[in-house]
Amino acid sequence: MASYQTNEFRSGLKILLDGDPYTIVENEFVKPGKGQAFNRVRVRNLKNGRVVDKTFKSGESVEAADVVEMDMQYLYSDGEFWHFMDPSSYEQYAAEAAAVGDSLKWLKEEDVCMVTLWNNSPLLVTAPNFVELTITETDPGLRGDTAQGGVKPAKLETGAVVRVPLFLEQGEVIKVDTRNGEYVSRVKD
Amino acid sequence: MTESDSWRPTAALEVLRLRAAMLSRARAFFAQRDVLEVETPVLSIAGTTDPNIQSLTTRVSGFPGTLYLHTSPEFPMKRLLAAGSGDIYQFARVFRDGETGRRHNPEFTLLEYYRLGMDHHALMDDVAELVGCLLGDEHGAIACRRMSYRDAFMQAVELDPMTADRALLLETLSRHGVPLPVDPLSAAQLTDLIMATLVSPGLGREQPCFVYDFPVDQAALARIRAGHPPVAERFELFFQGMELANGFHELCDQREQRRRFAQDNALRVQEGLPQVTADERMLQALDSGLPDCAGVAVGFDRMVMLAAGARQLSEVLAFAILRA
């Protein structure tokens, strides 16, 4: 079984703690004068997203988690699973609702997103930072009001609802930041 | 940062100019005091036995056995002192395996120096002047605080490190939310963890702070002063939560030094670390008579970090380990 020594710790490294996969967020090497050295590590549980602090005696080993992150194409959902394909091997993976989580509302068929595999099965699906989606429902646009003013809700083709400027019309394509769910700009043809 | 940028220095050129200026200021400081600059070998047939410091080793054709890269120039400098050199200093590039981090690089520059006839308090006065010369105001002065190791713990965590047992140390760590490693720690290691996480980050916030009189199990190469409790005549200097220097009223007793080397190697066996050949030549030098003196190792790179306002050691090294 692969393992890492504390001196290989760096952010992004995937390790196994108490049977769960974690990613290292921050690693600080601390050493008092001539005393025992420690690694103070902040880790994120990849299953539930919780961030916790851990201390390691420098020189300890930790089991590596078999976690890989891959760009995959979203194919379709059958209602129970969301299906993704590795475009280089054409291998398909089925992700459960828990793995897809909030990314669900940004996924459009054929879009490419990042899938985190743990022991070769999807653990987490991360939508691209920016997506371009068509507005399917919104109040009629206010002509001429392109400079400033209020916002209104708009429903997108994936079902997500975002707040957009008043001048936008149904059928227009907009760019959205999936990390905060905010409208970025109108996409012109 | 792209891979094609990896040839570039990790320090800004202006920081390297500041570093060079600080080197000349330090050399002038010692010239004024008639302290002799020396150079001692990087390679030695003996290494440090300290279980918390790991040496790198190499071989040289035509010489039997393994040679250690020095982790500090302390042993050969003590041989010079015993040979009658008088006050000496050295800028030494030293090597420590496994030490990489925001404030650590496996090779770094120690400014090591020894003053005859001084004890650890007199040397703290002298180091305060050196710090003033490197980091002080236009007059080259900086006011430093001084606090015993015991008081530093009392102020930070209301714990007496001289009398605390394992249960109390564990309780202190848990009360402050410091998670423990999976492997069990000895009382000494728990004390180190409290120092590293709860005490030292708050030391020297406003002005440099010397911490002195350490527990005897952290004596290293310092002499022990009898008392209740007995203490090691050792000090460390902290500024902005960072350790900058470590000094001793130097142990001159050859037999006691030999006993500590053996004790270190016994601890190394317990920890599953390789034993290290003790420095017989240094012990012979002590036996022939080391003058009463105090010595200190100053982390020169960290001094430059503070002068430059750098957040990481790599910002003051021309090429940190990842670009070496």
Side-chain angles (χ1 to χ4, degrees):
Chain A
M1 196 123 18
S3 65
Y4 297 114
Q5 276 225 318
T6 52
N7 59 20
E8 297 173 86
F9 281 9
R10 57 181 188 281
S11 51
L13 199 72
K14 308 295 188 292
I15 57 177
L16 206 58
L17 299 172
D18 305 322
D20 274 1
Y22 283 81
T23 183
I24 294 180
V25 181
E26 257 177 65
N27 167 48
E28 180 148 47
F29 176 78
V30 292
K31 191 170 192 297
K34 289 180 166 290
Q36 173 69 46
F38 297 96
N39 287 65
R40 305 195 70 199
V41 181
R42 181 157 288 175
V43 289
R44 187 171 62 242
N45 185 320
L46 290 170
K47 281 164 80 176
N48 58 26
R50 283 185 52 206
V51 173
V52 288
D53 291 328
K54 298 275 180 186
T55 305
F56 297 89
K57 225 167 109 181
S58 296
E60 269 185 271
S61 305
V62 184
E63 224 178 289
D66 178 14
V67 170
V68 286
E69 291 168 339
M70 282 170 91
D71 282 336
M72 289 196 202
Q73 196 174 40
Y74 170 50
L75 300 177
Y76 63 96
S77 167
D78 59 19
E80 188 181 1
F81 292 102
W82 281 256
H83 298 268
F84 296 85
M85 183 182 72
D86 172 3
S88 56
S89 67
Y90 303 108
E91 199 169 335
Q92 292 190 19
Y93 297 85
E96 295 175 8
V100 181
D102 268 359
S103 297
L104 171 67
K105 61 183 182 188
W106 307 117
L107 289 184
K108 193 172 70 172
E109 289 174 10
E110 293 183 15
D111 271 0
V112 172
C113 52
M114 193 178 68
V115 178
T116 306
L117 296 174
W118 179 36
N119 297 331
N120 215 34
S121 63
L123 180 67
L124 192 70
V125 173
T126 313
N129 289 347
F130 298 100
V131 289
E132 292 180 1
L133 297 168
T134 307
I135 297 176
T136 52
E137 264 179 62
T138 192
D139 291 340
L142 282 179
R143 208 176 291 268
D145 187 11
T146 54
Q148 53 187 4
V151 289
K152 60 180 180 180
K155 192 170 178 185
L156 308 180
E157 56 184 311
T158 55
V161 176
V162 296
R163 294 162 71 76
V164 300
L166 296 175
F167 63 82
L168 286 168
E169 302 277 7
Q170 194 170 309
E172 286 190 281
V173 178
I174 61 166
K175 185 174 173 182
V176 181
D177 187 333
T178 63
R179 292 163 296 185
N180 53 19
E182 280 176 14
Y183 164 86
V184 178
S185 62
R186 171 156 57 170
V187 179
K188 291 189 179 144
D189 295 331
Chain B
M1 197 76 61
T2 64
E3 193 45 38
S4 63
D5 271 341
S6 73
W7 66 271
R8 290 184 182 280
T10 47
L13 295 179
E14 68 197 65
V15 172
L16 296 182
R17 281 190 278 269
L18 171 67
R19 188 182 172 109
M22 289 174 74
L23 265 176
S24 7
R25 283 218 297 282
R27 287 201 159 99
F29 174 90
F30 290 113
Q32 250 172 29
R33 285 162 174 71
D34 250 340
V35 181
L36 178 71
E37 179 164 15
V38 297
E39 291 179 275
T40 57
V42 169
L43 299 178
S44 170
I45 57 166
T48 180
T49 53
D50 188 327
N52 293 311
I53 298 180
Q54 311 315 326
S55 304
L56 294 168
T57 58
T58 189
R59 291 178 167 276
V60 173
S61 312
F63 287 85
T66 296
L67 292 168
Y68 295 91
L69 275 68
H70 67 173
T71 59
S72 139
E74 176 147 19
F75 296 165
M77 287 180 84
K78 282 184 173 164
R79 287 163 62 190
L80 287 174
L81 291 163
S85 65
D87 294 338
I88 48 176
Y89 80 97
Q90 170 165 209
F91 278 102
R93 181 66 65 80
V94 299
F95 303 84
R96 297 186 183 182
D97 196 12
E99 299 193 5
T100 306
R102 196 158 71 78
R103 293 165 171 177
H104 293 83
N105 195 64
E107 57 173 303
F108 61 101
T109 300
L110 271 187
L111 164 54
E112 176 106 7
Y113 79 98
Y114 293 85
R115 301 299 306 269
L116 302 194
M118 286 191 180
D119 67 2
H120 61 314
H121 280 284
L123 186 59
M124 280 187 254
D125 293 339
D126 201 51
V127 172
E129 287 178 27
L130 172 69
V131 175
C133 155
L134 294 177
L135 302 176
D137 58 21
E138 68 271 27
H139 309 296
I142 195 165
C144 296
R145 289 188 68 194
R146 214 170 279 200
M147 181 187 318
S148 72
Y149 186 90
R150 182 175 176 276
D151 286 348
F153 271 65
M154 293 296 282
Q155 279 192 18
V157 291
E158 291 171 3
L159 174 88
D160 183 347
M162 304 299 186
T163 58
D165 59 8
R166 268 193 104 245
L168 198 52
L169 295 165
L170 285 167
E171 190 271 326
T172 303
L173 284 161
S174 113
R175 181 156 43 93
H176 289 86
V178 178
L180 291 173
V182 179
D183 284 0
L185 298 179
S186 68
Q189 290 169 330
L190 289 170
T191 309
D192 286 340
L193 184 57
I194 294 176
M195 183 64 175
T197 58
L198 301 174
V199 181
S200 70
L203 288 174
R205 275 230 176 103
E206 311 290 326
Q207 58 192 122
C209 178
F210 288 100
V211 174
Y212 63 92
D213 285 356
F214 277 60
V216 290
D217 62 357
Q218 296 184 39
L221 305 176
R223 40 177 98 177
I224 288 171
R225 189 174 74 240
H228 302 286
V231 290
E233 292 193 327
R234 172 181 164 196
F235 69 83
E236 285 189 345
L237 171 63
F238 293 86
F239 195 14
Q240 295 175 20
M242 183 156 68
E243 186 210 336
L244 285 180
N246 177 56
F248 303 130
H249 188 193
E250 299 291 349
L251 178 66
C252 296
D253 179 344
Q254 178 264 133
R255 262 173 313 197
E256 169 66 8
Q257 185 67 70
R258 189 179 290 277
R259 192 190 64 74
R260 289 192 200 171
F261 283 162
Q263 188 182 325
D264 279 352
N265 267 326
L267 266 175
R268 284 184 156 267
V269 173
Q270 266 181 40
E271 295 273 316
L273 296 166
Q275 295 197 59
V276 174
T277 318
D279 193 334
E280 284 298 330
R281 289 175 177 143
M282 189 277 238
L283 289 167
Q284 282 170 26
L286 289 194
D287 203 27
S288 89
L290 180 72
D292 185 19
C293 66
V296 63
V298 179
F300 185 70
D301 311 283
R302 289 184 179 180
M303 283 285 183
V304 182
M305 268 180 81
L306 288 174
R311 284 202 67 255
Q312 339 206 30
L313 205 70
S314 59
E315 294 170 36
V316 303
L317 303 173
F319 301 102
I321 184 75
L322 286 172
R323 301 265 180 101

